[in-house]
Amino acid sequence: MSNQSILVVDDNPDNLKLTQVLLECEGFEVRMAEDARQTLETLRTYRPTLILMDVQMPEMDGLELTRKLRLDPALRDVIIVALTAYAMKGDQENARAAGCDGYITKPIDTRTFADVIRGYLSTSPGRTARWYLDRLPGN
Amino acid sequence: MQGEFSSSSSTGKDRLRVLFFEDNPDDVALSLLTLRSSEFEVVSDVAANLPEFQEALRAGPYDIILSDYRVPCSTGMDAFEAMKAVGLSIPFILVTGSLGDERAVECLKEGVADYVLKDRLARLPVAIRLALEERRLQAKRTQAEETLRRSEASYRSLIQSAPCGILRLNAEDGRLVEANPALAEMLGYDSPADLLADGVPGRVTLDIETCRRFIDDWERHERVREIEVEWPRKDGVAIIVRLMGRLLKNENGAPACFEMIAKNATERRRAEQRIRQLNRLYSVMSHVGQAIVRIRERNELFREICRIVVQEGHFRMAWVGMVRPEVDSVKPVAHWAVEEGYLDGMRTTLSDEPNGRGPIGTAIRENIHVLSDDVSTDPRMALWRERALRWGFRSMGAFPIRLRGNAIGAIGIYAHEPGLFDVENVALLDELAEDVSFALESMEAQKMHRLAVDELDQFFALSLDMLCIVGMDGYIRRLNPAWEKTLGFSAVELRARPLIDFVHEEDRADALAALRTLRSGAALDRLEIRCLSKDGTYKWLIGSVVPAAGRGVFFAAVRDISDRRRLEEQLRGQNVALERQNRTVEAASRMKSEFVANMSHELRSPLNGIIGFSEMLYDGKLGALTAQPKEFLGRIQKSARHLLNLINNVLDLSKVEAGQLQLWPERVSVSSLVQEVTGILGTLAAEKHIRIESDMEPGVDEVITDAGRLKQVLYNYLSNALKFTGEKGVVTVGLKAEGATEFRLEVSDTGVGIAEKDIPRLFTEFQQLDSTFAKRYQGTGLGLALTKRIVEAQGGRAGVRSELGKGSTFFVILPRGSKEGPPAKSLANNLVLEQKPSGLGNLHAALERAAVPGKLIKVRDE
């Protein structure tokens, strides 16, 4: 478990820091990215087990980035969990449709966060992604 | 033949055959000599004695006999007698020497033609001539007499055998003087003699006046005149004799007698009378026919018919009675020539009693004509006989007048004489009654028709729609007042031009196409065109037109739809505006949603840091803490959570307003929900020694609703109740059914209660801006408003009952949901949070602590 790596994508440095500290306390390896460009850059050389994707980001938002990532067959097995403020109707459908395997609402509960992450990590990876990929036109 | 001259001789003289009765040849020679120089050529024979004479006569014929007076053994007179004895009457001339005048005259008296003295023989030719002449004349006379006699005989036989009567009447007194057998027979006598003998001359006669007139006429015109007389037969029966004849005058030229041909004109007169009568009846029929066409009012028609019957038909009188069933009688409604009093005294009924068995009553009751050919002998007319004779009629007929086959009255026709109601007459009168019946029905039909037309006319005039009849030429033939009311043009103006002139130019093509369709016989349904009004504007009209086959016109109904069109235009405009508005509103709404989304993120993000970090520090993840830093961190957290709660409420409200509130109905056990919330708030209750009780009605527990939202509501109410209840108070959570489809969740406290005037403001989100209000009910603020909104968004309602000083009961009423569970699909879309059941409980509790609206989603084994 402890060699499972998580990439946290969030435009807010405080949030990034918080998440990083929380996860590292639990023994996870944590990488960080502040925007889409950084994310893509990191993914070129680093393969995380799970990506925590903040949805509300300027320029390219988290879901769009997720869609983009899902197009890459190499990332099919990566678990992507959306971090969303859960405001609007249809947010989770959007997340699912974009290719996320789940979502966590903000502000996060620090006391249960690790358990939640572990839960995600124990699901068979790529199941949802496969479902998503199956429904892409051309497949 | 005797007495005829023989034909001329070859010498041109008249040939004369002479027989001499002379014994002296010299005398003969002398005579012959004398005759040689006369105009006669004589061929003669001589007889010397009587036997020779007789024989010569036998040989005959001779034109002249010349005889000596004295011949031996006889005289010339003997010869004369001998001649006569054999029936001859040859002219006999005595040629004698001495006769003596007396004797000569005697002989002449005997029949001798002449005598010539021997010594005056020169006279012989003359005498012969004279004698021959006389002979000739005599022969002629005799012939004439014979002819006359023969003709008289044949005339007589003609008269005797003539089929018509031939008679002679004395011209002066008109007496019958001669009659032929036919006349006798005509008058019933066996023979003319009987007729003449039977003192008849007094009866079978012409009156003096007639005689004189006849004579006068004859003198003037010499024309045969016809007269008719009534003469009695032998048996006393009178017959009509038609006489036709001439006046015979006597030798003096005075009128002698009338010679006439007589014919029995009785039959002919009867036939003539018959024809006249039939003609009268036909005339009656014809006039009645005209009256039927001309007169449209019932009683007036009846009266005219009675008049025609009497005046044209030469009847005595006529009247018409109509049935009045309610009083069981017949009422006279028309009459002619009926004198005052006749009808008054009569009471005709329809019932089968004596008064109803008269002709009129019977005719109506039995619907058949009733005739009485001779009132004086008809037993049925016994009751009316005396009146009949008084009023001067001898026969009558009653003919029923029918309406649709039933007798509703009758016409009574009365005649002067008996016998006027024979088969032929009655047939005509039956027809008359039928014509009248037909007229009545026609009148009624006309009345109905008029009523119907009136009815339709009313609607035609009343109609708010424009109605009209248009000719093939496009001009209006007839129109109702609605045209003027709608378009402003008068009827005259509208009819002055073809209708197409009033149609808007742009619509004319359509109108003409419609006209073509109509001309081909098809109806036109709902054509919309613009029509000119008097004020110059155009009105939209909608019309339906139907051609009337065979009448060359169209029927049109047209309605003013300019209002409707205007409304449509308005609506269209409004729609456009609305759509624009919609777009604006949609844009606004979208902006709102975006705002909420943005705010949600913006507001929560910082709290993520605040709560997260302080939590981590508080939990000692970065090392142990002393009491005071820990306490301070705790306060930081509390404040942060409070802030988060407020933010969440505001966002929720915004979502509700933006229509963004998402509800997740599912099967919920209210009691377990109550238990949880009570558990969460248990510490707070314990601190104030407040007892939380529950009052759950059984059978209402399972509902379908959004669990998270219900929990939110309950938490809101319960925390408020705990806040406002003093030490040792009681808070009760109640659940009961509300009607058949809803449930009621209540939280009652024994707190300070709420003033009535403040209640309305409780559930209103902006009201807590009032400081006094806010101070009094601190912290209730958004929660109640949001509760109300959320509950209402689910189709429920929220409210409070309170009494100052006693306590309050806050309640929500929500639908219990349908019998079926929430659709499985809605759950399938949810994302998996946890696999382990134990983890669920923790997570749920954790979420609650954060007062984050979360949702519990069951794990699916997939």
Side-chain angles (χ1 to χ4, degrees):
Chain A
M1 275 234 263
S2 47
N3 57 0
Q4 292 194 318
S5 55
I6 299 172
L7 172 64
V8 183
V9 181
D10 199 321
D11 63 313
N12 186 315
D14 292 325
N15 288 342
L16 271 179
K17 185 72 183 170
L18 177 63
T19 317
Q20 182 195 17
V21 167
L22 265 178
L23 288 174
E24 280 177 348
C25 272
E26 298 289 331
F28 292 106
E29 187 189 319
V30 180
R31 287 282 183 101
M32 290 169 300
E34 283 189 15
D35 55 33
R37 191 195 57 80
Q38 280 186 15
T39 309
L40 290 168
E41 178 94 31
T42 312
L43 285 174
R44 243 188 277 132
T45 53
Y46 180 72
R47 180 58 39 81
T49 325
L50 183 144
I51 301 177
L52 270 173
M53 183 76 76
D54 178 32
V55 171
Q56 280 95 3
M57 290 196 294
E59 289 172 20
M60 195 184 288
D61 73 65
L63 294 186
E64 207 187 317
L65 180 53
T66 306
R67 270 182 236 121
K68 208 177 165 113
L69 294 179
R70 283 298 184 208
L71 289 173
D72 186 349
L75 300 169
R76 262 170 50 158
D77 289 342
V78 178
I79 300 164
I80 304 181
V81 176
L83 272 172
T84 167
Y86 178 46
M88 311 305 283
K89 250 194 244 175
D91 273 350
Q92 55 270 42
E93 282 94 17
N94 292 343
R96 200 181 200 305
C100 300
D101 296 289
Y103 71 89
I104 294 171
T105 51
K106 288 200 279 193
I108 58 180
D109 180 355
T110 60
R111 291 165 188 147
T112 58
F113 188 61
D115 282 334
V116 172
I117 293 298
R118 270 188 218 109
Y120 273 113
L121 286 169
S122 64
T123 64
S124 43
R127 194 185 61 223
T128 310
R130 239 186 266 122
W131 176 94
Y132 170 73
L133 283 173
D134 285 339
R135 271 148 187 74
L136 278 181
N139 277 28
Chain B
M1 219 178 289
Q2 293 250 3
E4 237 183 58
F5 277 126
S6 46
S7 50
S8 342
S9 67
S10 53
T11 57
K13 290 187 178 178
D14 296 317
R15 197 138 160 261
L16 194 72
R17 289 169 298 200
V18 181
L19 177 60
F20 283 99
F21 190 53
E22 179 62 71
D23 64 320
N24 187 342
D26 295 329
D27 287 333
V28 173
L30 263 171
S31 295
L32 285 172
L33 195 71
T34 313
L35 290 176
R36 207 171 291 154
S37 52
S38 74
E39 70 263 33
F40 302 107
E41 194 181 303
V42 179
V43 172
S44 64
D45 291 320
V46 179
N49 50 44
L50 198 59
E52 272 178 34
F53 182 73
Q54 284 163 329
E55 197 170 320
L57 283 181
R58 274 201 292 275
Y62 295 101
D63 299 314
I64 283 281
I65 297 175
L66 294 174
S67 169
D68 192 2
Y69 188 75
R70 233 183 290 260
V71 172
C73 305
S74 48
T75 66
M77 295 315 293
D78 297 327
F80 185 69
E81 297 296 329
M83 181 199 76
K84 287 213 296 201
V86 295
L88 297 168
S89 57
I90 304 166
F92 200 94
I93 297 177
L94 281 173
V95 181
T96 176
S98 60
L99 185 56
D101 290 329
E102 279 180 31
R103 190 76 192 109
V105 171
E106 271 174 33
C107 292
L108 287 172
K109 277 196 184 153
E110 298 273 317
V112 166
D114 207 346
Y115 75 92
V116 175
L117 295 174
K118 278 189 188 166
D119 52 357
R120 293 218 170 93
L121 269 179
R123 205 179 147 263
L124 187 61
V126 175
I128 291 173
R129 216 182 301 123
L130 282 173
L132 287 172
E133 193 66 32
E134 203 188 313
R135 174 97 280 279
R136 203 170 39 81
L137 285 173
Q138 177 81 347
K140 254 199 177 149
R141 212 179 301 134
T142 311
Q143 192 180 27
E145 275 172 13
E146 175 65 23
T147 310
L148 183 64
R149 193 194 58 77
R150 220 177 282 135
S151 89
E152 275 217 23
S154 82
Y155 182 56
R156 209 127 278 284
S157 87
L158 196 66
I159 288 179
Q160 291 299 97
S161 60
C164 49
I166 300 178
L167 61 145
R168 282 211 184 136
L169 301 150
N170 183 299
E172 300 226 353
D173 54 25
R175 247 178 335 110
L176 182 71
V177 293
E178 265 185 63
N180 73 340
L183 185 69
E185 193 190 326
M186 194 190 295
L187 289 169
Y189 292 89
D190 294 325
S191 72
D194 279 348
L195 167 59
L196 287 161
D198 192 19
V200 147
R203 295 190 291 155
V204 180
T205 180
L206 287 178
D207 58 88
I208 309 292
E209 187 56 46
T210 311
C211 293
R212 288 216 189 99
R213 227 189 8 248
F214 204 94
I215 294 168
D216 209 33
D217 225 33
W218 184 263
E219 296 293 357
R220 248 194 280 243
H221 312 287
E222 230 176 75
R223 228 184 34 183
V224 168
R225 220 176 187 265
E226 267 186 42
I227 50 175
E228 272 183 13
V229 292
E230 198 174 301
W231 280 339
R233 290 162 49 104
K234 182 174 184 182
D235 55 17
V237 175
I239 60 166
I240 310 291
V241 179
R242 175 178 258 113
L243 300 171
M244 189 169 65
R246 57 184 178 148
L247 175 67
L248 292 180
K249 296 187 180 169
N250 59 16
E251 315 82 47
N252 303 330
C257 68
F258 303 119
E259 193 175 57
M260 303 198 132
I261 291 183
K263 283 222 173 105
N264 188 343
T266 318
E267 270 313 307
R268 191 168 146 181
R269 163 144 339 156
R270 218 172 281 152
E272 276 171 6
Q273 267 178 350
R274 186 96 196 83
I275 287 173
R276 255 201 300 279
Q277 195 184 53
L278 274 175
N279 279 345
R280 279 201 290 269
L281 272 180
Y282 281 123
S283 170
V284 164
M285 301 286 290
S286 164
H287 280 91
V288 165
Q290 285 171 31
I292 283 174
V293 168
R294 198 168 33 91
I295 299 175
R296 300 272 105 223
E297 194 276 313
R298 195 192 74 169
N299 285 355
E300 196 191 324
L301 177 63
F302 286 158
R303 196 163 160 277
E304 179 66 3
I305 288 175
C306 289
R307 183 195 72 75
I308 292 170
V309 161
V310 169
Q311 289 189 341
E312 305 279 336
H314 291 210
F315 284 93
R316 166 67 185 83
M317 62 190 200
W319 64 282
V320 174
M322 286 278 128
V323 169
R324 284 186 52 204
E326 64 274 14
V327 290
D328 184 37
S329 73
V330 176
K331 179 184 175 223
V333 297
H335 62 86
W336 194 270
V338 177
E339 264 115 66
E340 286 300 318
Y342 178 77
L343 287 174
D344 296 343
M346 164 189 297
R347 191 188 160 270
T348 309
T349 76
L350 292 176
S351 43
D352 198 9
E353 43 161 89
N355 259 337
R357 281 197 221 109
I360 296 275
T362 312
I364 297 175
R365 191 176 56 247
E366 304 194 1
N367 201 355
I368 186 174
H369 68 222
V370 173
L371 312 166
S372 184
D373 219 19
D374 191 339
V375 169
S376 52
T377 57
D378 189 340
R380 297 172 303 170
M381 292 292 288
L383 274 180
W384 297 273
R385 189 169 303 146
E386 180 251 321
R387 306 176 88 229
L389 296 176
R390 179 152 44 105
W391 295 109
F393 62 88
R394 288 285 301 277
S395 60
M396 70 158 294
F399 299 84
I401 294 173
R402 299 180 178 100
L403 190 62
R404 287 186 283 280
N406 299 318
I408 57 163
I411 179 168
I413 300 178
Y414 302 73
H416 300 273
E417 290 106 30
L420 253 80
F421 291 89
D422 59 29
V423 175
E424 255 179 324
N425 285 359
V426 166
L428 286 175
L429 290 171
D430 274 338
E431 222 180 286
L432 179 78
E434 260 181 52
D435 283 349
V436 173
S437 303
F438 171 78
L440 285 185
E441 280 174 23
S442 159
M443 263 188 238
E444 199 172 287
Q446 269 214 344
K447 195 158 65 168
M448 292 288 117
H449 172 76
R450 232 198 324 274
L451 280 174
V453 168
D454 278 347
E455 277 179 10
L456 290 177
D457 277 346
Q458 293 278 16
F459 287 116
F460 189 74
L462 210 57
S463 170
L464 297 171
D465 285 342
M466 296 171 271
L467 308 170
C468 71
I469 299 177
V470 184
M472 281 277 180
D473 54 7
Y475 282 82
I476 295 183
R477 297 271 173 91
R478 185 180 171 194
L479 67 167
N480 69 342
W483 286 88
E484 184 161 0
K485 288 191 198 129
T486 308
L487 297 176
F489 288 112
S490 69
V492 172
E493 290 173 297
L494 284 169
R495 295 178 61 177
R497 289 144 57 189
L499 201 46
I500 195 107
D501 279 7
F502 293 92
V503 174
H504 195 288
E505 288 164 350
E506 291 166 20
D507 298 332
R508 281 210 189 134
D510 286 342
L512 288 170
L515 196 60
R516 277 196 290 279
T517 315
L518 287 168
R519 286 223 179 94
S520 75
L524 183 72
D525 192 37
R526 310 182 78 82
L527 171 71
E528 291 188 22
I529 48 157
R530 277 159 290 183
C531 209
L532 181 66
S533 314
K534 179 106 185 184
D535 60 13
T537 62
Y538 282 88
K539 285 194 189 234
W540 275 99
L541 305 177
I542 189 171
S544 289
V545 188
V546 142
R551 284 174 54 178
V553 294
F554 307 111
F555 292 96
V558 180
R559 184 173 294 177
D560 179 4
I561 52 165
S562 28
D563 283 344
R564 198 229 307 147
R565 279 263 175 166
R566 217 178 307 122
L567 272 171
E568 278 172 11
E569 281 301 321
Q570 264 180 22
L571 278 173
R572 229 168 295 158
Q574 274 174 8
N575 269 356
V576 169
L578 274 173
E579 240 153 76
R580 232 180 292 127
Q581 253 181 27
N582 246 12
R583 282 195 286 277
T584 315
V585 164
E586 271 169 22
S589 175
R590 246 180 291 124
M591 269 165 47
K592 232 190 202 168
S593 303
E594 275 175 43
F595 170 80
V596 171
N598 286 344
M599 287 327 290
S600 181
H601 173 253
E602 292 294 326
L603 291 172
R604 280 200 236 207
S605 263
L607 281 172
N608 191 37
I610 298 169
I611 294 174
F613 284 119
S614 62
E615 223 172 39
M616 277 206 304
L617 286 168
Y618 187 84
D619 290 343
K621 288 220 166 86
L622 270 73
L625 290 170
T626 54
Q628 218 172 31
K630 190 161 177 172
E631 188 208 325
F632 287 177
L633 280 169
R635 287 183 192 274
I636 291 171
Q637 275 192 34
K638 197 162 154 226
S639 295
R641 283 189 214 284
H642 187 68
L643 181 58
L644 180 63
N645 197 19
L646 285 171
I647 289 171
N648 284 342
N649 283 355
V650 169
L651 285 175
D652 271 353
L653 273 171
S654 305
K655 268 197 243 172
V656 166
E657 229 173 279
Q660 283 286 337
L661 188 67
Q662 208 164 7
L663 295 164
W664 298 88
E666 54 176 317
R667 230 185 219 106
V668 174
S669 164
V670 182
S671 51
S672 20
L673 208 132
V674 168
Q675 258 185 330
E676 278 179 53
V677 173
T678 312
I680 294 169
L681 290 166
T683 354
L684 178 56
E687 277 174 22
K688 292 175 84 170
H689 302 103
I690 296 172
R691 206 166 67 249
I692 299 180
E693 292 182 349
S694 67
D695 176 20
M696 308 276 145
E697 192 183 275
V700 205
D701 196 38
E702 291 274 317
V703 299
I704 295 171
T705 191
D706 185 320
R709 296 295 179 185
L710 188 59
K711 223 179 289 186
Q712 192 177 9
V713 165
L714 188 55
Y715 186 86
N716 182 237
Y717 277 0
L718 199 49
S719 56
N720 282 347
L722 290 171
K723 209 178 297 180
F724 288 101
T725 301
E727 293 266 334
K728 299 196 177 87
V730 180
V731 170
T732 318
V733 179
L735 170 69
K736 45 172 95 82
E738 182 81 2
T741 54
E742 291 171 319
F743 71 94
R744 175 190 281 259
L745 188 58
E746 288 184 342
V747 174
S748 317
D749 64 53
T750 54
V752 293
I754 304 160
E756 211 178 301
K757 63 176 167 64
D758 290 332
I759 290 183
R761 300 207 297 175
L762 271 177
F763 286 88
T764 319
E765 57 262 41
F766 295 115
Q767 294 305 321
Q768 76 283 359
L769 295 174
D770 174 347
S771 50
T772 40
F773 185 85
K775 275 214 188 83
R776 225 181 287 145
Y777 307 113
Q778 198 167 34
T780 61
L782 281 175
L784 281 178
L786 187 59
T787 298
K788 183 163 181 270
R789 289 298 199 108
I790 289 172
V791 159
E792 280 172 2
Q794 293 177 73
R797 39 204 188 283
V800 63
R801 292 192 306 275
S802 186
E803 214 181 310
L804 258 180
K806 291 272 181 67
S808 320
T809 301
F810 281 78
F811 61 87
V812 291
I813 298 169
L814 284 168
R816 282 157 79 163
S818 59
K819 293 266 165 69
E820 313 136 23
K825 263 192 277 158
S826 63
L827 290 178
N829 281 340
N830 297 335
L831 301 169
V832 172
L833 277 183
E834 264 270 16
Q835 265 185 339
K836 296 182 229 148
S838 54
L840 276 173
N842 289 344
L843 177 63
H844 192 68
L847 285 173
E848 271 311 307
R849 250 177 286 138
V852 168
K855 38 194 190 311
L856 180 62
I857 296 132
K858 298 258 187 319
V859 175
R860 297 222 156 230
D861 296 320
E862 285 182 3

